[in-house]
Amino acid sequence: MKYRTKKNILYVLTFSIIFISLMSLIVVLNISKSYESGYLKQTGYVYNILNKLSIPVNSEEKYDKIIRPYTDSNIKVVKKFYDYLKPAEEQEDALIFFEDTYMQSDGVAYSNGDKFNIVAIFDGKVEDVINDEFIGNSIVVNHEGFKSVYQSLSEIDVKKGDFVTKGTIIGVSGTSNINSDLGNHLFFELIINDKNVNPEEYYDKKL
């Protein structure tokens, strides 16, 4: 009698183990099937784990990159960024002559000969809106790690404290006294680690 009881218990345990294993396998297969077919909701712990496994380690998402401060395709550089490592001719093109004084250009001037919309290069908070006698109307945007400065504007569509998203129109190009020879243009500065850098070397790149 005791032998049969032990044998019955063994059967029950064996059956339970097999049953639990089969149920676990079914659950895993269903999750996998749901994930592949797109029915699994894109929220929750399981989805996040599976989704992370499918993302390449070196993936460069577009939203992590800065864009140009304009969208018109016919805009050209009319004043270069001053770089002492560049040839003498390019250094000369990056000098600003104002009131009998030559100054190094800390940014890049863009123009198409007419007014054009200015857009934010990345998400950020408007740190300041300035009206200056020499550089004209300007916008400073803080992007938490770097800043962008938009000068020589004829119109400003934001105010200090506003949050702007990448690609949002924030103003319109205009003129300035310090670069009056350029006519209608945008003078743009990119500041990283409190240092002005050449914006042309950073577009479409992660910062």
Side-chain angles (χ1 to χ4, degrees):
M1 186 69 175
K2 290 183 179 179
Y3 172 75
R4 288 184 178 179
T5 301
K6 290 182 179 179
K7 189 174 183 181
N8 290 337
I9 291 174
L10 182 61
Y11 284 151
V12 171
L13 289 175
T14 302
F15 177 78
S16 298
I17 292 172
I18 294 174
F19 178 77
I20 292 173
S21 299
L22 288 174
M23 291 301 294
S24 299
L25 179 61
I26 291 173
V27 170
V28 171
L29 290 175
N30 284 337
I31 291 176
S32 178
K33 183 178 179 181
S34 298
Y35 176 74
E36 292 176 357
S37 62
Y39 289 120
L40 191 62
K41 291 183 179 179
Q42 296 188 9
T43 56
Y45 181 73
V46 174
Y47 173 82
N48 290 334
I49 292 176
L50 294 174
N51 195 40
K52 285 179 181 178
L53 292 175
S54 66
I55 299 176
V57 174
N58 295 322
S59 174
E60 291 190 3
E61 299 293 343
K62 194 66 176 179
Y63 59 77
D64 281 336
K65 301 175 183 179
I66 68 171
I67 62 174
R68 290 180 174 272
Y70 55 82
T71 56
D72 290 8
S73 59
N74 60 339
I75 291 175
K76 298 179 180 179
V77 174
V78 292
K79 179 64 67 177
K80 296 181 178 179
F81 177 86
Y82 185 87
D83 186 344
Y84 70 94
L85 295 176
K86 297 292 184 181
E89 184 178 349
E90 289 192 34
Q91 291 184 37
E92 184 178 345
D93 290 339
L95 291 175
I96 298 173
F97 184 70
F98 181 68
E99 294 185 346
D100 299 325
T101 304
Y102 283 98
M103 297 174 288
Q104 298 172 356
S105 174
D106 288 332
V108 178
Y110 300 99
S111 178
N112 64 357
D114 201 357
K115 289 185 177 182
F116 56 92
N117 290 329
I118 308 303
V119 300
I121 65 167
F122 200 75
D123 297 354
K125 186 177 182 179
V126 178
E127 185 175 282
D128 208 355
V129 174
I130 306 166
N131 181 273
D132 184 88
E133 179 184 355
F134 301 107
I135 64 175
N137 297 318
S138 305
I139 301 172
V140 181
V141 180
N142 191 320
H143 305 284
E144 295 187 5
F146 65 98
K147 296 181 182 181
S148 56
V149 184
Y150 314 77
Q151 300 176 7
S152 309
L153 305 180
S154 61
E155 299 177 27
I156 292 179
D157 298 328
V158 294
K159 63 182 182 300
K160 184 177 179 178
D162 284 351
F163 183 84
V164 295
T165 56
K166 182 170 69 174
T168 300
I169 296 176
I170 59 176
V172 178
S173 62
T175 60
S176 68
N177 289 327
I178 199 170
N179 276 313
S180 58
D181 59 315
L182 299 180
N184 193 286
H185 68 283
L186 162 70
F187 190 81
F188 178 72
E189 296 181 13
L190 183 62
I191 304 173
I192 301 176
N193 296 326
D194 297 322
K195 180 182 178 180
N196 284 68
V197 298
N198 186 354
E200 288 290 313
E201 297 178 356
Y202 287 85
Y203 296 131
D204 294 322
K205 293 182 180 179
K206 285 187 173 184
L207 291 184

